[in-house]
Every structure is written in C-alpha cells, then in structure tokens.
Amino acid sequence: MILHQLLNYDTLRLIWWALIGVLLVAFAVTDGFDLGAGMLLPFAGRTDIERRVIINSVGPVWEGNQVWLILGGGAIFAAWPQLYAVSFSGFYLAMFVILTALILRPVAFKFRSKREDPAWRARWDWVLFFCGFVPALISGVAVGNVLQGVPFRLAGDMHIFYDGSFFGLLNPFAVLCGLVSVAMLVMHGSGWLLLKAGGAVAERARRYGLIAALATIVLYACAGVWLWAGVQGYAITSVVDPLGPSNPLLKTAVVRAGAWFVNYRTHAWTIAAPAGGLLGAFGALVGLWFRREIMALLCSALGIAGIVLSVGASMFPFILPSSIDPRASLTVWDASSSHLTLFIMLAVTCFFLPIIVAYTSWVYKVLWGKVDENAIRNETTHAY
C-alpha cells in the first residue's frame, strides 16, 4: 500500500505510456526480422534448400517473437481501454487482414514441406511473403493515419462513433509510412539472414538489405519532411490535469500546424528518437556493405526502435487524436484505466516481464549459430 501511494496516478500513466512503447519496439525488433525474412524468401532463396535455410533460420523463434504482440494488445486493453476500443473497432478490417496474415503464417510453415512438388512449395513461399509484407505495410499505414488523426467522435456517455472507412486509410501519407515500415523490416530481415545463413543466401539477402536500408533512410526522411510541412498536429489548449478522470471530453484541443514538433523544441533529448532511426538505418547500411553481421543486425534494431519511438515522442501526450472532434482525442492523461488497475498491472509486469526476457535470451543463446544447408538436407524429422 505504501508503494501504491508513492506511485501517483500521473506517474503510473507515464509508466504505462512508456511500457506500451517498449512492447511495441520489442515486437517490431523481434518479430520484425522474421517478417523481413519472409518478405525476402522468394528472392534471397533460389533453390528449395536455400529457401529452407531461410525458413529454418526463423522457424524456432518466430512463435516466441509474437508474444510481444500479445503482450502489447493485452496491455492496451487493460491500461488504455478507450484506446483499445477506438482502434480495434475503427481499424477492424485492417486488423482482420493483419490477423489473417499472421494466422496463415504457421499454416504455411507447417504445410510447405508436406509435399515434394516444387509448385506446391513455391505457392506456400509466396504465402509466407504475403504474411510478412501485409502486416508490415498495414501497421505502417495505421501509424500514418494516427499521426493525421483518426475520424472518430465520442458522445456524452463515452459512446464511440467511427466515421471512417477501410480504403480511407490508404491516403498518400499513410501509404508512405507503410513503405517505411516495409523497408525497415526488410532491412532487419536481411541483417538476420546475413547472421544466420551463409553462402549465396546471405549474399543475396545482403544486396536486398542494402537497397532496403537506403530506402528506409530516404523514405523516413521524406515522411519527416511531409509531417513537418503537410500534416497538422494537435495541441491541448486547456489546463492539463495529470491526476484528472479518464474523460477526454473535459479538455479542449485544436489542430495546429507544426504541433508534432513542439516536443523536440521543448525537450531537446527527444530528438534522440528520430536521430536513432536515421543513424541506425545508416549503421545497418554500413554493416551490410562491409558484411559486419552483428553490426548490421544491431543497427537495424536501433533504427527500428528509433523510428517507432519517434512517433510517441512527436505525439506526446496524445495517443490517438480525433480528426473529427479534437476535443475527443485520447491522451495519456485522460484515457487510462484507474489508479489501482494500473498499479496492479505494473506489479504483475515487474514479476513476469523479467522472466519472459530471461527465457527469450536463453532460447536465442541455445539457438545461436548459422543454419547449415547440409544439416537441413539430411534432416527429415525436425527441420521445416
């Protein structure tokens, strides 16, 4: 109870805002390389054995990587129920397409090698490409729409009305953000294959990774310029009460040009996020160019983390702005669960999160090393 009293409501809200960012980064970095490897599968692997090398490089770990997605969704549901309600209802079709791809992925992994027919296996290879490309693209498109504001409104009783459409999400800026997401995950996947594969597979992945790293730098920079020059941000114009009730309609907010860059001027340390995104992608480019496996993978992870965190740094304290009624926009200070709920969740997280991290680290340690073509060729029981 003493700790519960020391952790004020505003502190817990900030902690959970940061934890959601950590979970999103963890998912993008860990599941990102196997999504990227899936997108590279039809191109980096020319023969069946080469493609099996790619599949088996991610086969033992991809399921564990998706734990971060489950944790993120559960945390949003419990800590930010209004955010969960608006996003999962407004983006329902987009979420359905992503889930379809994620459900098809294990099917493709399991069924691909059930038959020796090359055409059968080639079809499943393209399914795995689809299952990597679609979640990457649509996730980026969703972020692009969040930065522009989502067309929802709240009634006086907090009833949610979403006035948008699925194809309305596919606007030019959002598609650009989707391409940034695709490029950075292909870059990350190529770094993983350079580390885990060898020979022709690693070399082809490296070449595609160089293109993807360069595209990440250029597209991310273009998105930043567009965000500054062509996308209006949101600002709160009323007094902010960090300890106030979770009712977005109690504040006033406006749409204002350049609002998404105020935090960078006010808190200079936040520039570390976009700088990390650009420097990480550049470091991955250098690592891939000189065939530095660890450097390429770690720098691509840094680039992904910086790009993801730059969205939160730009928008704070907004977490889901409304393009119809800015007053209904959800912020860190008015869209969370209760003080007690956030505290109990934090206590549970402090217990289980280190266990998950320790177990995941142990798994990667056990599975360290390159995937050998001969071992796969002679293995008929366990390899994909």
Side-chain angles (χ1 to χ4, degrees), residues 116-199:
E116 298 289 341
D117 181 13
W120 166 272
R121 294 189 172 187
R123 284 192 290 269
W124 284 115
D125 291 339
W126 283 105
V127 170
L128 286 170
F129 168 83
F130 170 86
C131 294
F133 177 78
V134 168
L137 179 68
I138 295 183
S139 297
V141 168
V143 171
N145 279 278
V146 169
L147 286 166
Q148 296 174 97
V150 178
F152 75 93
R153 51 193 170 87
L154 300 175
D157 60 355
M158 295 292 105
H159 189 75
I160 300 167
F161 295 91
Y162 181 81
D163 297 331
S165 65
F166 174 77
F167 291 102
L169 299 176
L170 302 176
N171 56 79
F173 178 75
V175 172
L176 175 59
C177 292
L179 294 177
V180 172
S181 178
V182 170
M184 73 180 189
L185 294 191
V186 171
M187 170 186 70
H188 198 39
S190 67
W192 174 257
L193 291 179
L194 184 64
L195 176 69
K196 294 291 289 184

Side-chain angles (χ1 to χ4, degrees), residues 69-88:
L69 176 63
I70 298 170
L71 288 175
I76 291 174
F77 172 78
W80 309 98
Q82 290 175 319
L83 172 62
Y84 182 91
V86 175
S87 59
F88 278 71

Side-chain angles (χ1 to χ4, degrees), residues 57-123:
S57 73
V58 300
V61 297
W62 71 267
E63 290 178 292
N65 293 339
Q66 291 194 158
V67 167
W68 300 106
L69 176 63
I70 298 170
L71 288 175
I76 291 174
F77 172 78
W80 309 98
Q82 290 175 319
L83 172 62
Y84 182 91
V86 175
S87 59
F88 278 71
S89 59
F91 296 155
Y92 180 80
L93 288 178
M95 296 283 187
F96 182 81
V97 173
I98 291 176
L99 288 176
T100 299
L102 294 179
I103 291 169
L104 278 175
R105 185 160 59 151
V107 176
F109 277 133
K110 298 298 182 183
F111 277 80
R112 182 192 183 276
S113 296
K114 295 299 182 181
R115 293 173 59 182
E116 298 289 341
D117 181 13
W120 166 272
R121 294 189 172 187
R123 284 192 290 269

